[in-house]
Amino acid sequence: MAQPNPTTATADFQLSKYVKLGYHYFMKHFLALCLIPLIAFTLLKISADFESLYLSLKYNLASVSIFSGVVVSGLMVGFMTRPRSVYLVDYACYRPPDKLRVEFRKFMDHSRLTGDFDESSLEFQRKILERSGLGEETYLPDALHLLPPQPSMSAARAEAEQVMFGALDSLFRTTGVRAKQIGVLVVNCSLFNPTPSLSAMIVNKYKLRGDVKTFNLGGMGCSAGLIAVDLAKDMLQLHRNTYAAVVSTENITQNWYFGNKKSMLIPNCLFRMGASAVLLSNRPSDRRRSKYKILHVVRTHKGADDTAFKCVYQEQDDDNRNPKIRKIGVSLSKDLMAIAGEALKSNITTLGPLVLPVSEQLLFFMTLIARKIVNPKIKPYIPDFKLAFNHFCIHAGGRAVIDELERSLRLDPVHVEASRMTLHRFGNTSSSSIWYELAYIEAKGRVRKGQRVWQIAFGSGFKCNSAVWEALRNVGPSPDSPWLDCIHRYPVDLAQ
């Protein structure tokens, strides 16, 4: 059998590549190409009738005045009611002290010495750790470093204060904004919701002003950080010249599982300590010093489906050996990846028309029509989101999540590098992980003015949420970036 000619194959690939580029270029400028003749014709027509139009208006001053008043009034109404631009001034990610690092061996030794896990559970955790994508430098809170662990309410409060205040201290120091200037505060933490609330703890610590609008989001999973951003954005549409602080975290101390149900042991192996604090502003004067402008937030909820609703579910286990002692944990269903895929499809179906070029939308529409009319077996067209976004921050929920999105969205390894490296260095820090990822991209010096960033996260319920940001300048790392002392070591080879 004749072997294919590599030179011919390369030439065919290059040809198809340039044909597609030409198609996208044509579709991108199609509207302009159509409008140019129309504009030229209109200008010629106006110039020909200009003298008669001038004479007509000259003797109809009242009509001109009324028309001008209507136009000016319309412009003023449009100007006053248009959505306010919301800027991301800066953000901070908490970097725990080195004493809280947990290597794999230390993790397994502590798990064995607690006496709560049988041999099967210990072996299961070991395998999950090896396949998780986590490295040897992730962090766990103080209470879980003790033998035996001491996950008390006071220890959980201490962890919350440590990560939230650490992130906010860094944010205020970097931006120069005073705590008293914060008009809106949104805090999200899924599994730890004490009384007084986490947002009240921040108000008390920083002595925020009496009229600050505070919100505390609980039970909304790893995608709650983008829900918090969306809420803060909406609040900034109502209140002028205001700063909004968004704090995203998860509490590990009181939510460690000490039982032997396999589906509840997975979070022990993936979730780690961390938090982020984001400063948003609607003040026009902040545009020049801000990093990004928010363009879109798209939220998708699949909770109406029972299987999706229960795929990430906090409950008591069913340990038959001691039914009187049932331990609480978060169970991850085996259907999780399939449900996440469906949620992603719903989300990008809404997001696509907002961000994709006309060329991609047309191809998607034509394929959809062909599947409906010609042959339902025609493979559906997956839009090329690389044409809409320059950088991708996919929630570092686990290696399988990142792999699935890389495959589904047809991304290149560089597009998921930030997610993989964040998972390796910091683990799954829940809703704050997308900010550690953006900090990685900035530390690599990759963000340029005008580029777009897509943050996407999944959460219990089941939810898939997206946020789109546009860089307002060439963005470098913040002075307190969690990557500053280690970015030179990344990316690492995860195959080793």
Side-chain angles (χ1 to χ4, degrees), residues 417-482:
E417 180 183 311
S419 300
R420 294 193 190 283
M421 297 307 106
T422 295
L423 182 65
H424 181 272
R425 179 62 184 85
F426 295 100
N428 180 351
T429 61
S430 190
S431 55
S432 64
S433 70
I434 52 177
W435 298 105
Y436 286 86
E437 293 164 16
L438 186 54
Y440 177 91
I441 298 171
E442 291 178 359
K444 285 292 185 181
R446 296 174 180 172
V447 183
R448 294 289 178 265
K449 182 178 180 179
Q451 291 185 338
R452 290 186 174 187
V453 179
W454 183 16
Q455 292 180 319
I456 183 167
F458 301 92
S460 57
F462 187 84
K463 299 178 286 293
C464 177
N465 300 324
S466 293
V468 180
W469 304 88
E470 181 182 2
L472 298 176
R473 54 185 169 87
N474 295 344
V475 181
S478 299
D480 291 342
S481 171

Side-chain angles (χ1 to χ4, degrees), residues 211-275:
D211 64 344
V212 63
K213 307 298 186 292
T214 63
F215 302 88
N216 212 90
L217 306 181
M220 305 192 80
C222 300
S223 67
L226 294 181
I227 297 174
V229 167
D230 192 31
L231 175 57
K233 176 178 70 72
D234 289 345
M235 291 300 296
L236 290 176
Q237 296 301 318
L238 301 175
H239 303 279
R240 290 181 175 275
N241 297 317
T242 305
Y243 286 113
V246 177
V247 179
S248 301
T249 188
E250 189 54 82
N251 193 276
I252 307 297
T253 297
Q254 272 206 319
N255 295 288
W256 201 256
Y257 176 61
F258 292 97
N260 290 286
K261 187 174 181 179
K262 300 294 193 298
S263 61
M264 292 183 172
L265 286 169
I266 297 175
N268 285 12
C269 301
L270 295 179
F271 283 87
R272 293 296 184 264
M273 187 180 184

Side-chain angles (χ1 to χ4, degrees), residues 32 40 43 50 102 126 138 146 204 224 240 271 278 299 318 326 342 398 404 459:
L43 290 174
F50 181 76
V102 53
R126 185 188 65 80
T138 60
L146 301 175
N204 178 259
R240 290 181 175 275
F271 283 87
V278 179
R299 294 163 54 183
D318 49 2
R326 302 179 66 192
E342 289 300 315
E404 178 62 22

Side-chain angles (χ1 to χ4, degrees), residues 24-150:
H24 286 304
Y25 183 84
F26 174 76
M27 292 304 301
K28 181 178 180 180
H29 298 89
F30 178 76
L31 185 61
L33 293 173
C34 292
L35 286 177
I36 288 174
L38 180 61
I39 292 172
F41 175 79
T42 302
L43 290 174
L44 289 173
K45 185 69 175 175
I46 289 175
S47 62
D49 297 338
F50 181 76
E51 184 177 356
S52 60
L53 179 64
Y54 170 75
L55 293 173
S56 175
L57 293 177
K58 182 177 179 180
Y59 299 106
N60 291 276
L61 186 59
S63 300
V64 173
S65 300
I66 294 172
F67 176 75
S68 301
V70 170
V71 170
V72 171
S73 299
L75 291 174
M76 289 182 63
V77 170
F79 178 79
M80 297 296 293
T81 59
R82 80 191 194 285
R84 295 186 179 92
S85 296
V86 175
Y87 307 110
L88 192 162
V89 180
D90 210 336
Y91 63 95
C93 299
Y94 178 67
R95 167 78 175 268
D98 291 344
K99 69 175 184 177
L100 297 182
R101 285 183 182 177
V102 53
E103 299 85 5
F104 287 179
R105 186 176 67 176
K106 183 177 181 180
F107 180 97
M108 293 306 304
D109 288 345
H110 275 237
S111 295
R112 186 179 300 278
L113 290 172
T114 61
D116 293 298
F117 306 108
D118 58 29
E119 285 300 322
S120 175
S121 296
L122 289 169
E123 178 62 17
F124 178 77
Q125 290 181 81
R126 185 188 65 80
K127 290 181 178 179
I128 293 295
L129 278 176
E130 291 176 350
R131 302 168 184 172
S132 65
L134 272 69
E136 300 277 357
E137 298 180 279
T138 60
Y139 305 92
L140 287 176
D142 285 285
L144 298 179
H145 284 268
L146 301 175
L147 279 174
Q150 299 179 14

Side-chain angles (χ1 to χ4, degrees), residues 223 298-303 342-351 457 459 462-466:
S223 67
V298 174
R299 294 163 54 183
T300 306
H301 208 305
K302 308 293 287 185
E342 289 300 315
L344 175 66
K345 289 179 184 177
S346 299
N347 192 270
I348 63 177
T349 299
T350 305
L351 180 66
F462 187 84
K463 299 178 286 293
C464 177
N465 300 324
S466 293

